[in-house]
């Protein structure tokens, strides 16, 4: 079993939809949780990070962490075609980030 | 520089050859990471440098892979006797505080034919 599980998708939604992306994990030592966005043939770019449990909002993006369930989520409101990318969850326990597989999101006009 | 720079952006090599991949991190970032990403997968950890020393090399798949960071800035990932299974995108990242995320380069796409 992988330390971080993420549905690879693809997920296809119409413009303006609310998107929910999720990951589960097994290592209770993880303390910092992040979401990265990766466009085709580019490196991942950091979208949001959260420490421990709770919510964090930044514009159209909201990250949630539930440590008791070992479950993290990223919500995208009013999705745009420019949001079409692969979204990677990542978490850190000791010295390095562990990534999920990534979920490919397609937002169509 | 403004971001993490990786060269070359693409590398095609023959099976059995030796390759070097270069990473130029953000100035002042003491932590440097190498990851490998295969198609449809998330990045997989290879090695982490803190300054000049390899703090964690547990992700290197075998002894054909080696990385150096002699002056605590630029790093080179070296792969000997390349195999077709080494084909992937090799990503480099740097950070000033890893708990708040890394900045990635665009990667080197390695193809072994």
């Amino acid at each position: 079993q992988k330390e971080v599980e993420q549905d690879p998708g693809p997920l296809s939604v119409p413009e303006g939809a609310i998107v929910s992306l999720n990951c589960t994990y097994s290592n209770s030592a993880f303390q910092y949780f992040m979401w990265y966005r990766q466009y085709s043939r580019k490196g991942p770019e950091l979208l949001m990070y959260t420490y421990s449990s709770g919510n964090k909002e930044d514009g159209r993006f909201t990250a949630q962490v539930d440590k008791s369930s070992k479950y993290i989520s990223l919500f995208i409101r009013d999705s745009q075609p420019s949001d079409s990318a692969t979204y990677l969850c990542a978490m850190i326990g000791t010295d390095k980030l562990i990534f999920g597989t990534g979920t490919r999101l397609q937002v169509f006009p | 520089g403004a971001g993490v720079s990786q060269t070359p952006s693409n590398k095609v090599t023959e099976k059995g050859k030796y390759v070097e991949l270069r990473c130029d991190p953000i100035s002042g970032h003491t932590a440097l990471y190498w990851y490998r990403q295969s198609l449809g997968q998330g990045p997989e950890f290879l090695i982490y440098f803190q300054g000049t020393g390899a703090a964690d090399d547990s992700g290197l798949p075998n002894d054909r892979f080696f990385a150096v960071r002699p002056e605590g800035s630029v790093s080179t990932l070296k792969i000997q006797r390349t195999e077709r299974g080494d084909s992937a995108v090799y990503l480099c990242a740097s950070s000033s505080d890893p708990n708040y995320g890394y900045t990635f380069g665009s990667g080197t796409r390695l193809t072994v034919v």
Side-chain angles (χ1 to χ4, degrees), chain A residues 2 8 32 34 36 38 41-46 49 88 92 94-102, chain B residues 10 33 35 37 40-43 45 48 55-56 58 91 98-106 109:
Chain A
K2 288 185 175 182
Y32 291 85
M34 296 164 206
Y36 281 79
Q38 187 173 27
R41 294 187 172 263
K42 296 291 186 184
E45 62 173 319
L46 181 64
Y49 75 87
L88 296 151
I92 188 166
T94 53
D95 61 356
K96 57 185 178 282
L97 277 178
I98 307 297
F99 284 86
T101 303
Chain B
N10 283 283
Y33 304 81
Y35 281 77
Q37 187 173 26
Q41 300 296 315
F45 171 77
Y48 155 49
D56 183 348
S58 61
L91 293 164
N99 288 330
Y100 299 103
Y102 312 161
T103 302
F104 281 87
S106 291
R109 184 173 300 271

Side-chain angles (χ1 to χ4, degrees), chain B residues 3-6 22-26 32 73-75 92:
Chain B
V4 177
S5 175
Q6 291 189 246
R22 176 188 167 106
C23 174
D24 210 331
I26 291 173
L32 185 146
S73 179
V74 171
S75 176
C92 176

Side-chain angles (χ1 to χ4, degrees), chain A residues 1-5 24-27 30 91 98:
Chain A
Q1 183 191 2
K2 288 185 175 182
E3 280 190 286
V4 180
E5 298 278 358
T24 59
Y25 63 95
S26 57
N27 189 343
F30 290 139
M91 40 206 82
I98 307 297

